Amino acid sequence: MKHIIEENKLVELNYEVVDKKSNKPLVKIEYPIGYVHGTNSVLSSDVTSTLAGHTVGDVIEVPIDTKKLYGDRDESLVFTDLIENVPEDYREIGMTITMENEKGEAKNFIVTRIDDKTLTVDGNNPLCGRDVVFKLKVLSIREATPEEIDVGGKVDADPDMDELLKNS
């Protein structure tokens, strides 16, 4: 009997976020993410409604409205400074630097560019302003236990490979 995604089923999937312009993955999560369909709010309702009715092996694509999630790109959150003013530990593209404003509020900035003289950081979310799609692959589906229904996901967070392979 083939399980389908419906209320109170524990679903495990992996996903990637793909840039529609370049068709390259921006984020790739290969280990199983588990949730109980109909009880979990970790995934947006757009995603869970699209997953409903699918089975193991299905690949589902859901467009992401980055403007709705992160707002417009804010160029005032992009700063370039002389590289000598930046500690050596932070001189790496992709490095996250946490800075505080005058009010003591923390904000993450990502190093996006380095040359011989300068370093640039960007406080915008890396997906901000991009046209992206959420690509999910259904790995397994089974009845959720009462405990899993209560917490909205798998109680034992370590994936059991034998269980995954058996349900595929």
Side-chain angles (χ1 to χ4, degrees):
M1 181 178 107
K2 208 170 194 182
H3 289 285
I4 64 164
I5 298 176
E6 58 190 2
E7 195 91 2
N8 295 332
K9 296 280 188 179
L10 182 91
V11 180
E12 288 187 310
L13 43 87
N14 60 20
Y15 70 88
E16 58 187 14
V17 178
V18 178
D19 184 312
K20 283 169 69 174
K21 198 165 148 186
S22 69
N23 209 29
K24 288 192 165 67
L26 302 170
V27 176
K28 197 170 193 159
I29 304 297
E30 295 186 17
Y31 54 88
I33 307 287
Y35 81 99
V36 176
H37 195 78
T39 65
N40 185 291
S41 61
V42 171
L43 295 171
S44 76
S45 58
D46 294 353
V47 173
T48 54
S49 64
T50 303
L51 283 166
H54 284 278
T55 61
V56 172
D58 287 353
V59 176
I60 297 100
E61 291 189 8
V62 181
I64 299 173
D65 185 349
T66 57
K67 196 172 193 150
K68 186 171 143 188
L69 284 177
Y70 309 113
D72 287 321
R73 186 166 166 72
D74 183 352
E75 291 306 322
S76 73
L77 294 175
V78 179
F79 301 97
T80 299
D81 199 353
L82 293 174
I83 199 156
E84 65 216 33
N85 294 336
V86 180
E88 283 202 32
D89 292 354
Y90 298 118
R91 296 180 191 175
E92 184 182 325
I93 296 213
M95 172 72 65
T96 299
I97 302 171
T98 303
M99 296 188 237
E100 286 185 3
N101 64 13
E102 316 78 54
K103 298 176 193 163
E105 300 164 332
K107 174 112 181 104
N108 287 334
F109 289 80
I110 297 173
V111 177
T112 56
R113 197 172 68 79
I114 301 173
D115 61 32
D116 295 341
K117 296 184 177 132
T118 63
L119 180 139
T120 301
V121 295
D122 188 341
N124 290 288
N125 183 289
L127 299 179
C128 191
R130 291 184 185 249
D131 192 10
V132 296
V133 68
F134 199 40
K135 197 172 184 178
L136 305 109
K137 181 173 186 186
V138 181
L139 303 175
S140 70
I141 304 167
R142 66 166 170 76
E143 291 294 331
T145 66
E147 193 179 5
E148 289 168 335
I149 292 169
D150 284 346
V151 297
K154 202 166 184 181
V155 177
D156 171 17
D158 296 328
D160 179 349
M161 291 313 289
D162 291 335
E163 188 72 27
L164 282 176
L165 295 171
K166 196 168 49 184
N167 288 332
S168 302

